[in-house]
Amino acid sequence: MSEKRRMIVHVDMDHFFTAVEEREHPEFKGKPVVAGADPKAGKGRGVVSTCNYEARKFGVRSGMPISKAWQLCPEAVYLPVNYELYARVSNEIMGILRGYSDKFEQWGIDEAFLDITSRVKEYAEAEALARQMKNEIHAKQKLTCSTGVGPNKIIAKVASDFQKPDGLTIVKEEEAEKFLAPLSVRKLPWIGRKTEQKLDALGIKTIGELARYDPTVLTEHFGAMGAQMYLMAHGIDRSEVEERGGIKSLSRELTFEVDTGDFGLVLNNLDRLSEQVHEDVLRHGLFFKTVTVKVRYENFETHTHGKTMPFITNRLQDLKKTAKELTQAYLRPERKIRLIGVRVSSFTSAEKQKTLA
Ligand code: TTP
Ligand code: MG
């Protein structure tokens, strides 16, 4: 017997942080808006978290140094990031979406997967349900999202990105390979800038080219990830929509006002970041296993290094000690530091921890 055909929806809020800001401040409507570090008239450090579509027309992008954004678009409205507000709105949106499926998976702050297989019989019904979700979010939250429907999570996610903002894209199983083929490999989840460059060196730019490539050569170059990429390029993905308790990692980072070679200062600030992350861990009732640090040198060369502990913990001293150990390797007399960050992940909730103890 063949497996039952699945119907998966992926929802991604449009320019989420700045969309919430626009909603709260109607006077920003129509203007370019950037959320992120303080630009300080072009002298600011740190990066853009996100920006609205008006600002994107000027070339501003997530992750770009805020000084670059200022050069491109000094007339934009620049706002600090108000995580608490966005997290509250995110929870409300996730609450609405949860009502549309029995299998739900939040992905980051503004995305979610829903398995609606048990609720619809055909794509036309799936489309109607996806439209209903968009309408309810818009009616209750005054925010738009882009939505994709497909036979698995990968296709649904690529589909939601296909028409933005306020899009709705349906990709049927039999059309999936053709839909994916002309798109850049970067559109596939987990293919970042570095993998894109490596694929480019093999002459692979589009998903179609990836699908036609020899999978054994891909495995030689990329290990297990190579086989995974090959399957994705053919539109194959068997992973289930699974509730993961929402948060996958908690992190804080700091860009120094001036690049620094003062390692006492670096380590003091590292402790401070660990304390802030730890407060978040306790607030969410979580236990973690993995600690990752990030160090960016003055030339923007960035390193991240993580360690998974053999035990689950929520103790500040474990976090501080591990973060310090990991960072120490990057403290070199000749290299000034621009940014440091601390992240924890591999969570179990306190509830579950109790039953495991
Ligand atoms: P995304 O969904 O990647 O971006 P977006 O919602 O701003 O824009 P789009 O319309 O293209 O979906 O990320 C969701 C939020 O996460 C975003 O509003 C801000 C935050 N974010 C960062 O803080 N830094 C980043 O580098 C990225 C990509 C996102
Ligand atoms: Mg988004």
Side-chain angles (χ1 to χ4, degrees):
M1 202 177 77
S2 72
E3 284 174 54
K4 186 168 169 22
R5 187 214 286 256
R6 293 188 295 158
M7 292 278 191
I8 311 295
V9 181
H10 180 254
V11 178
D12 181 352
M13 300 306 296
D14 298 321
H15 69 98
F16 184 52
F17 292 3
T18 46
V20 174
E21 296 288 356
E22 277 180 26
R23 179 186 82 177
E24 303 294 305
H25 303 274
E27 67 274 20
F28 298 160
K29 196 88 202 137
K31 294 185 185 164
V33 182
V34 179
D38 184 347
K40 297 189 179 159
K43 299 203 167 47
R45 298 163 60 93
V47 296
V48 172
S49 283
T50 196
C51 59
N52 67 358
Y53 285 74
E54 282 81 359
R56 292 182 199 190
K57 285 182 202 153
F58 291 83
V60 182
R61 295 286 181 273
S62 293
M64 174 182 274
I66 199 78
S67 53
K68 177 90 191 290
W70 180 269
Q71 276 170 20
L72 294 167
C73 190
E75 67 269 44
V77 178
Y78 285 88
L79 301 170
V81 172
N82 183 352
Y83 281 110
E84 270 193 273
L85 170 63
Y86 316 142
R88 204 163 353 107
V89 177
S90 165
N91 282 339
E92 287 168 16
I93 293 165
M94 297 303 157
I96 294 173
L97 290 173
R98 242 170 238 283
Y100 284 88
S101 101
D102 342 296
K103 279 165 108 181
F104 178 84
E105 179 176 344
Q106 181 174 345
W107 190 262
I109 194 164
D110 80 329
E111 297 177 37
F113 291 99
L114 293 82
D115 187 329
I116 56 165
T117 312
S118 67
R119 308 227 175 165
V120 295
K121 284 195 285 298
E122 49 174 26
Y123 278 98
E125 282 179 38
E127 180 171 356
L129 198 64
R131 188 158 313 276
Q132 206 181 321
M133 290 175 207
K134 286 168 67 72
N135 290 343
E136 187 176 346
I137 290 174
H138 192 254
K140 293 195 172 147
Q141 294 291 330
K142 302 277 171 285
L143 294 169
T144 63
C145 60
S146 296
T147 305
V149 181
N152 60 46
K153 286 163 74 177
I154 298 285
I155 296 171
K157 183 158 165 64
V158 178
S160 75
D161 189 54
F162 191 65
Q163 299 177 60
K164 258 185 163 293
D166 204 16
L168 172 53
T169 304
I170 314 291
V171 179
K172 297 181 185 165
E173 187 155 28
E174 52 275 24
E175 295 164 353
E177 277 203 76
K178 228 166 108 191
F179 166 76
L180 295 172
L183 303 177
S184 156
V185 289
R186 239 345 242 294
K187 294 284 174 188
L188 290 172
W190 300 295
I191 297 201
R193 196 168 40 83
K194 285 191 186 146
T195 309
E196 180 189 24
Q197 283 167 0
K198 286 187 197 160
L199 287 169
D200 192 76
L202 298 174
I204 303 170
K205 286 189 165 46
T206 65
I207 300 177
E209 286 161 354
L210 180 59
R212 286 193 298 276
Y213 211 79
D214 182 346
T216 52
V217 181
L218 289 174
T219 309
E220 276 164 26
H221 281 274
F222 300 98
M225 172 76 183
Q228 189 61 38
M229 287 193 296
Y230 181 78
L231 289 175
M232 283 200 292
H234 284 276
I236 297 168
D237 167 31
R238 300 196 199 289
S239 67
E240 293 284 335
V241 174
E242 293 175 299
E243 186 80 49
R244 285 176 209 269
I247 306 162
K248 285 187 200 52
S249 68
L250 291 168
S251 64
R252 292 290 171 108
E253 52 184 56
L254 168 78
T255 303
F256 291 104
E257 284 300 321
V258 181
D259 299 330
T260 182
D262 177 347
F263 298 142
L265 179 79
V266 171
L267 292 173
N268 274 341
N269 277 290
L270 188 76
D271 272 352
R272 208 161 51 86
L273 293 175
S274 295
E275 283 159 15
Q276 291 169 355
V277 169
H278 184 250
E279 275 176 27
D280 290 343
V281 165
L282 294 186
R283 186 141 38 88
H284 288 97
L286 297 169
F287 286 70
F288 59 92
K289 234 179 145 174
T290 304
V291 176
T292 307
V293 298
K294 178 164 156 183
V295 175
R296 176 170 295 152
Y297 291 119
E298 57 188 333
N299 65 350
F300 274 87
E301 185 185 309
T302 307
H303 297 265
T304 55
H305 191 42
K307 179 177 169 184
T308 297
M309 293 177 281
F311 50 87
I312 280 211
T313 176
N314 69 347
R315 293 191 314 177
L316 177 59
Q317 68 211 72
D318 294 330
L319 173 53
K320 277 188 171 172
K321 185 165 164 278
T322 313
K324 206 168 264 177
E325 264 171 36
L326 291 167
T327 303
Q328 222 107 32
Y330 296 109
L331 303 180
R332 310 231 182 86
E334 73 285 9
R335 306 210 65 178
K336 285 193 175 168
I337 290 178
R338 178 182 175 89
L339 169 150
I340 51 170
V342 176
R343 182 169 81 223
V344 297
S345 54
S346 314
F347 292 133
T348 322
S349 70
E351 263 326 287
K352 203 160 167 196
Q353 178 64 13
K354 264 189 234 144
T355 63
L356 289 175

